[in-house]
């Protein structure tokens, strides 16, 4: 479909020479920047969401306010969020406000999946564990988290794919990444940059999706039932 | 020995106790079955032994020591625990599931591996074939076996079993019951066994504690005595109007004083291991007043009569009314 649209734009739409000439000093850094933004954001979001999710699954009363606040964060338009963060003292332009916003966006889905994962552990499994003399900590680390892990990874998958998409907008506030190519391409009226940026961002999202889906399956070997 | 001393339990937020002034003892090496209608507090009583539930008042002694003398986790590692819902760890292999408590109490690897295989053999699962599987790869009955094996893993002197054979079809249940009784002959654990099925209670119990609504102990005795002499209307209706027959099912033909067999070839042949209830049924079915008792090893042992069985039942019934 995209190739049809490209033909309408004329023969010079995709300038292969430009791509090969600028691969090393423009495209690759943008890609690396994008990977850095996405990985850092997901990692930080996970570090916050895991303990939050565990806590919320224990103190159920905290769940509605936590979903409310993270849901609110999730619903702020991304461009507005970036601009607001830039205006905060001590933040300014650059990758920092982008990462903060991306983390904020991931919290809802990650916390929700941590809680859902822990909730999915059968009551009788936990009861048997307690009845055999596992401590609460042992139940958490040996029973609840391993069983919740595939659901948590499913959340990471959704968060990562979302983040890779939104991160492109971060270039607007000098966050770096593939958005850099897209925005420069638009302002200089040079479609090749836009296309390269968009295609790479899409490829990255698809790759992350496939990789995490594979991991999700790997973490659930017990579900591959092989009856004798 | 497990001793309940005036144990009561009222759940928070409720005004009525679900277990009330419960006192009884479970002797070493005996199976004590807690039985009663749904909601009478059987599970609650059992779970107070390993402190999954704390009593509101009273105490439970284990070998003379209150069960609060050590930490709850220490206590639980010394008490086997098997439940109807089984609760195997879905993400652990059968071997790892069984190895749970031995691992917690720090057994060496080689000892654990040997123990796992020994237990799988004991519950009738080929170790070679099953130790590496996940629970989802086993049938319900096989999972129940693993659940029982896991409860026995660290060789605890005491086991708590809450309807451990509840989730399988009747045929499998009978087989699991028989297997477990055979195992118990060897291991001689002190067992609290919960069921709502009076037939299972009669079959499995050395002692039966019949609880009624509100967690009140209605009667505590051997199956024979409870069937022969229920002390209340509640107990006699709970054990059922066929309690005389149920009681006969507890005795085998070989335990009777047989009469000599002479010229009685036409009589129905009854294996000496048959219980009296089935023997009675066979004689009635064959239209005979007597049956020829035979054994695998020594051939004809003698004869038994319907009258003999009648006398036996009548005597205890009369005894019950103080005649
Ligand atoms: N955690 C709890 N909080 C409040 N009430 C409870 C709790 N657990 C059980 N009960 C109530 O206590 C009573 C006894 O429950 P229990 O599970 O001990 O019965 P049971 O004899 O095992 O019944 P069943 O044969 O159905 O398993 C029931 O009325 C039940 O509703
Ligand atoms: Mg129960």
């Amino acid at each position: 479909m995209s190739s049809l649209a490209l033909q309408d734009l004329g023969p010079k739409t995709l300038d292969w020479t430009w791509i090969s000439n600028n691969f090393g000093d423009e495209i690759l850094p943008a890609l690396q920047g994008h990977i850095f933004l996405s990985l850092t954001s997901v990692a930080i979001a996970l570090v916050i969401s895991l303990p939050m999710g565990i806590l919320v699954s224990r103190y159920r009363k905290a769940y509605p306010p936590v979903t409310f606040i993270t849901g609110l964060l999730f619903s702020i338009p991304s461009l507005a969020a970036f601009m607001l963060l830039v205006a905060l003292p001590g933040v300014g332009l650059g990758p920092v406000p982008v990462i903060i916003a991306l983390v904020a966006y991931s919290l809802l889905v990650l916390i929700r999946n941590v809680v859902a994962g822990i909730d999915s552990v059968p009551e009788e499994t936990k009861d048997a564990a307690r009845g055999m003399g596992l401590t609460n900590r042992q139940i958490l680390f040996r029973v609840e988290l391993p069983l919740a892990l595939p659901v948590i990874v499913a959340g990471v998958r959704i968060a990562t794919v979302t983040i890779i998409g939104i991160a492109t907008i971060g270039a607007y506030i000098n966050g770096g990444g593939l958005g850099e190519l897209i925005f420069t391409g638009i302002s200089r009226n040079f479609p090749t940059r836009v296309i390269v940026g968009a295609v790479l961002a899409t490829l990255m999202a698809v790759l992350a999706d496939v990789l995490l889906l594979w991991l999700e399956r790997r973490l659930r070997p017990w579900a591959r039932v092989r009856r004798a | 020995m497990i001793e309940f001393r005036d144990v009561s339990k009222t759940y928070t937020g409720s005004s009525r106790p679900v277990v009330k002034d419960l006192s009884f003892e479970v002797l070493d090496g005996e199976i004590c079955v807690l039985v009663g209608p749904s909601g009478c507090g059987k599970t609650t009583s059992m779970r107070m032994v390993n402190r999954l539930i704390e009593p509101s008042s009273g105490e439970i002694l284990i070998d003379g020591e209150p069960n609060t003398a050590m930490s709850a986790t220490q206590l639980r590692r010394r008490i086997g625990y098997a439940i109807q819902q089984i609760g195997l760890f879905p993400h652990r292999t059968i071997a790892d599931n069984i190895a749970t408590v031995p691992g917690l109490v720090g057994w060496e690897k080689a000892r654990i591996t040997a123990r796992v295989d020994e237990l799988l053999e004991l519950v009738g699962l080929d170790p070679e074939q099953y130790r590496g599987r996940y629970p989802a790869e086993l049938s319900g009955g096989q999972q129940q076996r693993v659940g029982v094996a896991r409860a026995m893993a660290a060789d605890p002197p005491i086991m708590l079993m809450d309807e451990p054979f509840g989730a399988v079809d009747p045929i499998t249940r009978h087989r699991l019951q028989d297997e477990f009784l055979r195992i118990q002959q060897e291991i001689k654990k002190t067992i609290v066994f919960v069921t709502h099925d009076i037939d299972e209670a009669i079959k499995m119990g050395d002692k039966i504690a019949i609880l009624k609504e509100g967690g009140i102990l209605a009667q505590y005795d051997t199956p024979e005595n409870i069937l022969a002499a229920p002390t209340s209307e509640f107990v006699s209706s709970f054990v059922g109007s066929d309690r005389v027959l149920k009681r006969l099912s507890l005795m085998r033909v070989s335990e009777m004083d047989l009469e000599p067999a002479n010229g009685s070839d036409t009589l129905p042949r009854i294996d000496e291991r048959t219980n009296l209830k089935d023997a009675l049924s066979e004689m009635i079915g064959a239209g005979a007043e007597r049956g020829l008792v035979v054994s695998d090893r020594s051939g004809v042992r003698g004869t038994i009569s319907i009258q003999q069985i009648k006398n036996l039942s009548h005597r205890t019934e009369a005894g019950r009314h103080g005649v």
Side-chain angles (χ1 to χ4, degrees), chain B residues 9-14 16-19 34-47 53 84-85 162-163 194-197 211 213-215:
Chain B
K9 175 69 188 180
T10 306
Y11 282 107
T12 39
S14 151
R16 282 191 314 154
V18 296
V19 174
L34 302 183
V35 68
S38 185
C40 69
K42 306 179 291 291
T43 298
T44 303
S45 304
M46 191 200 83
R47 289 164 67 87
I53 296 174
Q84 171 174 0
Q85 306 83 349
D162 193 348
E163 312 207 17
V194 166
T195 179
H196 60 258
D197 174 1
L211 299 181
E213 196 64 39

Side-chain angles (χ1 to χ4, degrees), chain A residues 127 130 133 142 222 226 228, chain B residues 47 76-77 81 90-91 133:
Chain A
D127 182 59
R130 197 169 305 118
R142 299 187 190 188
W222 63 88
R226 105 192 102 92
Chain B
R47 289 164 67 87
R76 289 171 195 154
R77 290 170 191 184
Y81 183 65
H91 60 305
R133 290 202 193 180

Side-chain angles (χ1 to χ4, degrees), chain A:
Chain A
M1 194 179 74
S2 57
S3 68
L4 276 178
L6 292 181
Q7 276 161 12
D8 296 342
L9 291 170
K12 286 294 272 180
T13 301
L14 199 60
D15 183 345
W16 287 99
T17 332
W18 180 86
I19 293 178
S20 66
N21 285 345
N22 295 275
F23 189 79
D25 49 85
E26 196 172 340
I27 299 175
L28 205 59
L31 183 63
Q32 281 165 346
H34 210 83
I35 293 173
F36 166 76
L37 282 180
S38 312
L39 277 186
T40 314
S41 308
V42 174
I44 295 174
L46 204 54
V47 167
I48 299 171
S49 304
L50 260 179
M52 275 292 267
I54 293 167
L55 238 66
V56 162
S57 75
R58 297 288 186 273
Y59 304 100
R60 222 48 211 215
K61 276 192 197 128
Y63 198 29
V66 166
T67 357
F68 178 75
I69 293 167
T70 53
L72 211 66
L73 290 175
F74 189 72
S75 65
I76 303 173
S78 39
L79 199 55
F82 290 145
M83 300 314 286
L84 286 172
L85 283 165
V86 170
L88 283 184
V91 180
L93 293 167
V96 175
V98 177
I99 290 172
I100 295 176
L102 294 179
V103 168
Y105 280 125
S106 323
L107 292 180
L108 178 67
V109 74
L110 286 179
I111 292 176
R112 227 163 38 185
N113 276 50
V114 171
V115 175
I118 291 176
D119 281 355
S120 75
V121 179
E123 205 50 54
E124 64 264 24
T125 308
K126 287 181 278 184
D127 182 59
R130 197 169 305 118
M132 283 188 292
L134 277 80
T135 60
N136 285 338
R137 174 184 290 262
Q138 286 167 334
I139 294 174
L140 177 65
F141 285 103
R142 299 187 190 188
V143 181
E144 291 180 296
L145 285 181
L147 284 170
L149 207 52
V151 183
I152 296 173
V153 172
V156 172
R157 223 179 101 214
I158 300 169
T160 307
V161 172
T162 314
I163 278 179
I164 292 174
I166 300 177
T168 50
I169 304 172
Y172 197 77
I173 52 167
N174 296 354
L178 293 166
E180 199 83 29
L181 290 174
I182 298 172
F183 282 113
T184 330
I186 292 171
S187 64
R188 298 195 192 159
N189 199 11
F190 184 58
T192 302
R193 272 204 179 86
V194 180
I195 293 164
V196 169
V199 166
L200 285 180
T202 309
L203 275 180
M204 221 178 110
V206 170
L207 199 72
D209 192 46
V210 171
L211 221 71
L212 286 165
L213 187 65
W214 172 82
L215 185 66
E216 203 182 313
R217 297 247 168 88
R218 269 298 300 259
L219 290 172
R220 223 194 284 252
W222 63 88
R224 288 197 306 259
V225 177
R226 105 192 102 92
R227 281 199 188 276

